Amino acid sequence: YFASLVSKMPESSDDPRAVYYEYLEEFAHRDNKNLYQMKLIKHDRDMERGFEEGTRYLFEVKLGQQLIEMPGTDHADGGVELPSGELLLWDNKGKESVYTFPKSHLDQFRRYIRESVKRVSVFLVIVPEYDPAARLQALKLKHLTDTDSDVALISAADLKYVAEMWPKHSKEGAFSLEVFNATGILERSELNARMELFLS
């Protein structure tokens, strides 16, 4: 039992979200055994909040982006504004198994994109792991948005990889959100290529 537990040392930070970022993959996988043991959750429902807060920390602190306010209750989990004034929105979908991109989520994300006051340039779905067939749903959603918005799936582990690796690719010290501006599945090899392209 104890051999299966994960113990990580969060980076030194006054921001309480730093520990959620450190355990981002465990929150994505809804790994309640580890999260309870590390006292990061008190109830299963806390896993969703931890996943969201860890992602917000990643974009705001690690990638240096200013988060936009999300009014109301029916909206994506987070977003940032691109230099063009358009938006990158994301939604966290924690799951114990592989993410398959069900139709209910397609309808949900389509609503978020179409009801956004500003055009959504890219919608990012952050998951633990994905079924390769989910790529077809991403393509379908792009077609259904009526705004030609890109829709990309990315694993929590690969998103965290980008946050840790981009300084090695950047010469100017600024992260380009164009790294995520694609439709389909953002695998690590694709992310490395995009960081080389947009951060060099």
Side-chain angles (χ1 to χ4, degrees):
Y1 171 81
F2 290 104
S4 66
L5 295 178
V6 176
S7 180
K8 300 179 180 180
M9 182 64 66
E11 60 190 7
S12 178
S13 174
D14 294 331
D15 193 322
R17 299 173 301 173
V19 69
Y20 298 131
Y21 167 77
E22 203 61 47
Y23 284 85
L24 195 69
E25 300 99 313
E26 285 74 25
F27 279 109
H29 283 275
R30 299 184 63 82
D31 183 358
N32 57 10
K33 180 174 67 174
N34 273 297
L35 297 173
Y36 275 119
Q37 182 67 28
M38 296 298 129
K39 301 188 182 334
L40 294 175
I41 60 171
K42 293 181 179 178
H43 308 282
D44 278 6
R45 64 177 176 269
D46 297 335
M47 287 187 283
E48 184 177 336
R49 177 180 169 273
F51 191 13
E52 293 172 6
E53 289 300 314
T55 303
R56 290 173 67 83
Y57 179 88
L58 185 152
F59 274 94
E60 186 174 13
V61 178
K62 304 298 285 187
L63 299 182
Q65 304 295 316
Q66 181 157 352
L67 305 181
I68 61 172
E69 292 295 321
M70 307 290 287
T73 56
D74 186 27
H75 54 67
D77 290 330
V80 292
E81 190 170 307
L82 298 163
S84 65
E86 297 178 347
L87 304 181
L88 178 151
L89 298 182
W90 71 78
D91 211 72
N92 298 86
K93 290 300 181 189
K95 193 174 177 62
E96 294 175 25
S97 56
V98 173
Y99 182 76
T100 59
F101 210 142
K103 183 182 183 301
S104 60
H105 290 178
L106 187 148
D107 294 338
Q108 176 189 9
F109 301 154
R110 182 188 185 199
R111 187 172 71 253
Y112 292 163
I113 292 168
R114 296 186 73 177
E115 292 180 0
S116 175
V117 175
K118 294 185 176 181
R119 179 180 178 270
V120 178
S121 180
V122 59
F123 193 92
L124 206 57
V125 187
I126 307 166
V127 300
E129 295 179 66
Y130 38 72
D131 183 329
R135 178 178 179 275
L136 185 60
Q137 287 289 78
L139 291 167
K140 183 176 181 181
L141 177 55
K142 176 181 172 70
H143 173 70
L144 293 173
T145 61
D146 296 331
T147 53
D148 196 35
S149 299
D150 282 304
V151 180
L153 289 96
I154 188 170
S155 72
D158 284 345
L159 180 60
K160 193 173 174 184
Y161 171 81
V162 169
E164 299 292 335
M165 293 298 294
W166 78 264
K168 297 179 180 179
H169 292 272
S170 177
K171 295 176 182 175
E172 299 179 5
F175 183 79
S176 172
L177 293 166
E178 288 299 320
V179 169
F180 302 125
N181 205 350
T183 290
I185 292 175
L186 288 172
E187 297 176 332
R188 190 162 298 193
S189 58
E190 174 73 7
L191 289 164
N192 277 323
R194 295 182 71 81
M195 281 194 284
E196 287 284 352
L197 176 62
F198 294 113
L199 299 177
S200 59

